[in-house]
Amino acid sequence: MPAFDDSDFGVPVQQIKSKDLSRVKSSESNGHSFGHSYGSSLPIPGEDGMTNSIEVPATRSSIADASPYMHQLSLSPSQRDRRASRNSFGASLPIPRSKRQSRLSSVVSAEGRTGKSVRPGMPPIQPTREILASQVQDMSSEKVRAAKDMAFVFDIDGVLVHGDRLIPEGKRVLEILNGDNELAIKIPHIFLTNGSGKPEQARVEQLSKILQQPISIEQFIQSHTPMRALSEYYDTVLVVGGEGYRCREVAEAYGFENIVVPNDILAWDPTIAPYRKFTEEERRTSRPRDFSKMNIDAIMVFSDSRDYATDMQIIVDLLRSENGRLHTMAKDPVSQRIPIYFSQGDLLCPTEHPYPRMSQGTFRIGLEAMYKALTGEDLERVVYGKPELATYKYADEVIASWMEIIHNDEKLPANIYMVGDNPASDIIGGNMYGWNTCLVRTGVFQGGENDENNPANFGVFANVLEAVKAAVKKELGQEFRFEWKDEHVNPLLQKGTASAVAVE
């Protein structure tokens, strides 16, 4: 897939060196105001002439929004007026510029990796169904064009699954889009989730098993997938969240050179979190270093914290330190503060519990409130994930790439449908990006006819199957059949002909 051009983003994009991000002004971002302009330099490890990422203007302020959630007594009455910060990272969000590396074995089926046996020196056997489908598609060229000019973008949790439990309609939807329809055609679809915490391949394998349908890593975007671009900006990073050391694996796969996790710090100095019981197993698997003699360049919250108290203590220590060096305290908490990135901002996430559970957004707001209570300053931070513009720009690349894989036609379909359960991320993001949005009642949203603040523009549906059927009928006709039957098109299986068996 070709690289992004500056014209693709609708805003003038400067070529910024990794050590000179301070020239990016929040007031320059797509005509919106993103808070203060940042005038002084922020030293960031990296090489000049970086070409593998592009910075997308942020669509929400980089300044913390903790104030509405805080009791006024927690604020110092004599706090100084906030002065301009040297940190300019909130004005734009880097995403990968080039096409993701092709993975020939990236398609995963419910049983595991796919693969068909071949006959040495002979052409592959073409199944009867593929021959018949080709004939049907030749006779229905107008419908075929329409099918290739639409695409679906699915949220996962609350739409297709609840945790590890299948939502039955989700399986049927993927069967239809993978070819169980009257044209036997694959209708493009990708998965765009604010879920996180595992390498993409592991998550795809898990999802494939639950949905009992083949899914490719090339169709899949987690909240932290676009954050791979940050590996070009920072050398030493603290990675927070997720189970065990899975997020370390994610960061390693993204190309980060020197990765620190909270357990590494605890193994070096257990007193940093006095209420945490640090086990011998955790100590054995950690990678302690002398963090009083090295600087951490940035903080990456990749997934939900499994230990709020410890993670918040370490993060606050770093944010108040001198340029990311533990066991130090900065005289100015703003000018020496290191950047912090969050992979998504959802307050709630649907799980197997009857009511949605707190997600990364609540962790972030709590951290923002603590930081302001301790320093009197608003925390400047970056939030990826839906509904951030950068996530949708990256989704465009993935959709076009998937079109090339399944239809040998690298283009962006004209009619894109976002199916989600969270009005505050799925729906508002799709609406702002010009997609058709479908809100389902199987996850976070349990309201009335539509969400009052962020209404879905295509409608509200009982489940994902109803949403997909409505969209397909709109694009391909009300009489479109959501099932393929050989007997409808195979003359050998029709009445009055000699009995025969189709080769599959």
Side-chain angles (χ1 to χ4, degrees):
M1 173 174 176
F4 286 125
D5 293 321
D6 293 343
S7 60
D8 294 337
F9 296 89
V11 294
V13 179
Q14 304 177 51
Q15 291 298 320
I16 311 264
K17 297 180 180 180
S18 60
K19 294 182 181 291
D20 192 21
L21 294 185
S22 59
R23 294 191 296 108
V24 181
K25 306 291 185 183
S26 59
S27 58
E28 296 172 354
S29 300
N30 202 23
H32 300 289
S33 175
F34 300 117
H36 298 275
S37 296
Y38 313 114
S40 52
S41 63
L42 172 65
I44 299 174
E47 297 296 330
D48 292 342
M50 181 176 54
T51 60
N52 291 327
S53 64
I54 189 166
E55 296 173 8
V56 179
T59 54
R60 52 185 159 191
S61 172
S62 65
I63 306 303
D65 50 12
S67 296
Y69 303 93
M70 295 175 63
H71 194 287
Q72 289 302 308
L73 292 179
S74 67
L75 300 177
S76 169
S78 61
Q79 62 179 283
R80 295 175 294 116
D81 291 335
R82 183 181 187 278
R83 63 181 180 81
S85 167
R86 70 175 185 151
N87 293 341
S88 65
F89 55 87
S92 61
L93 280 70
I95 61 173
R97 186 182 185 96
S98 59
K99 181 178 178 180
R100 287 190 289 176
Q101 182 179 359
S102 177
R103 302 167 180 83
L104 297 179
S105 60
S106 64
V107 178
V108 179
S109 69
E111 292 77 25
R113 299 187 182 278
T114 60
K116 296 182 179 180
S117 60
V118 296
R119 301 176 295 169
M122 298 289 289
I125 299 174
Q126 187 174 14
T128 300
R129 177 169 174 175
E130 291 185 11
I131 298 173
L132 296 173
S134 177
Q135 294 172 348
V136 169
Q137 291 170 20
D138 287 343
M139 293 185 293
S140 305
S141 57
E142 186 173 340
K143 280 187 179 181
V144 169
R145 281 195 298 270
K148 292 180 179 180
D149 206 26
M150 69 180 302
F152 288 94
V153 180
F154 294 110
D155 181 41
I156 295 176
D157 292 303
V159 175
L160 302 173
V161 300
H162 284 139
D164 291 334
R165 180 165 54 87
L166 171 70
I167 295 176
E169 292 82 5
K171 176 177 180 292
R172 180 62 193 136
V173 158
L174 297 191
E175 290 173 347
I176 292 170
L177 300 183
N178 282 330
D180 190 11
N181 55 67
E182 69 173 61
L183 296 176
I185 193 171
K186 291 184 177 180
I187 298 176
H189 58 282
I190 69 166
F191 305 89
L192 180 61
T193 175
N194 272 356
S196 57
K198 292 183 178 180
E200 280 77 6
Q201 186 65 49
R203 185 71 171 107
V204 163
E205 291 175 355
Q206 177 192 31
L207 191 62
S208 239
K209 184 176 180 180
I210 296 171
L211 291 168
Q212 303 170 40
Q213 286 292 301
I215 297 174
S216 170
I217 196 172
E218 304 290 353
Q219 295 172 274
F220 187 73
I221 305 173
Q222 295 187 98
S223 62
H224 48 58
T225 304
M227 293 173 70
R228 67 175 66 240
L230 296 172
S231 64
E232 297 189 12
Y233 290 72
Y234 305 107
D235 291 332
T236 303
V237 295
L238 174 72
V239 174
V240 177
E243 296 180 3
Y245 296 103
R246 301 306 295 273
C247 284
R248 193 204 294 274
E249 296 176 26
V250 172
E252 289 172 344
Y254 290 174
F256 287 97
E257 295 293 334
N258 191 8
I259 302 156
V260 180
V261 298
N263 275 3
D264 299 338
I265 297 172
L266 282 172
W268 165 66
D269 179 10
T271 67
I272 204 166
Y275 308 116
R276 166 73 179 274
K277 184 178 180 181
F278 197 54
T279 68
E280 286 303 319
E281 175 63 19
E282 290 173 323
R283 188 181 305 278
R284 186 182 63 80
T285 56
S286 63
R287 303 176 186 174
R289 283 149 277 178
D290 188 350
F291 294 103
S292 67
K293 296 181 179 179
M294 60 182 290
N295 290 355
I296 292 175
D297 302 317
I299 302 165
M300 310 281 172
V301 182
F302 270 6
S303 188
D304 293 340
S305 169
R306 268 50 175 186
D307 183 352
Y308 270 45
T310 299
D311 291 346
M312 283 186 169
Q313 181 67 71
I314 291 174
I315 290 173
V316 169
D317 283 353
L318 281 171
L319 292 173
R320 300 174 69 198
S321 70
E322 293 182 354
N323 299 309
R325 181 164 295 197
L326 290 167
H327 284 188
T328 66
M329 183 68 70
K331 295 180 180 179
D332 183 345
V334 175
S335 65
Q336 294 181 299
R337 185 175 60 208
I338 64 174
I340 179 169
Y341 294 83
F342 294 85
S343 70
Q344 55 101 346
D346 287 352
L347 295 179
L348 299 173
C349 176
T351 67
E352 296 181 14
H353 192 272
Y355 297 100
R357 302 290 84 192
M358 292 188 296
S359 189
Q360 195 180 133
T362 56
F363 177 84
R364 172 180 56 82
I365 288 172
L367 184 65
E368 291 168 355
M370 290 180 189
Y371 183 83
K372 186 160 189 175
L374 290 169
T375 67
E377 302 289 347
D378 287 318
L379 177 63
E380 191 175 2
R381 76 288 188 271
V382 179
V383 184
Y384 276 80
K386 296 174 292 186
E388 186 54 53
L389 172 66
T391 296
Y392 294 85
K393 291 291 187 184
Y394 189 64
D396 276 351
E397 179 194 13
V398 173
I399 293 171
S401 178
W402 187 241
M403 278 287 296
E404 181 183 23
I405 291 172
I406 65 173
H407 292 308
N408 197 30
D409 185 9
E410 186 181 350
K411 71 169 187 176
L412 196 62
N415 305 300
I416 298 179
Y417 290 82
M418 173 79 219
V419 185
D421 69 299
N422 191 337
S425 59
D426 303 323
I427 303 306
I428 188 175
N431 286 345
M432 289 192 301
Y433 204 58
W435 288 350
N436 303 294
T437 52
C438 309
L439 183 59
V440 296
R441 300 181 184 275
T442 49
V444 171
F445 178 74
Q446 298 292 329
E449 293 185 3
N450 208 329
D451 185 72
E452 295 181 0
N453 298 317
N454 303 298
N457 59 42
F458 188 67
V460 178
F461 302 89
N463 54 61
V464 64
L465 182 58
E466 295 303 316
V468 167
K469 284 185 173 181
V472 171
K473 285 182 177 181
K474 178 180 181 295
E475 303 298 336
L476 304 184
Q478 293 297 317
E479 303 304 318
F480 189 83
R481 296 193 300 272
F482 298 95
E483 187 178 17
W484 169 274
K485 290 187 176 181
D486 286 340
E487 57 266 28
H488 288 169
V489 292
N490 189 342
L492 297 178
L493 298 179
Q494 294 175 3
K495 294 182 180 180
T497 62
S499 61
V501 178
V503 178
E504 292 294 341

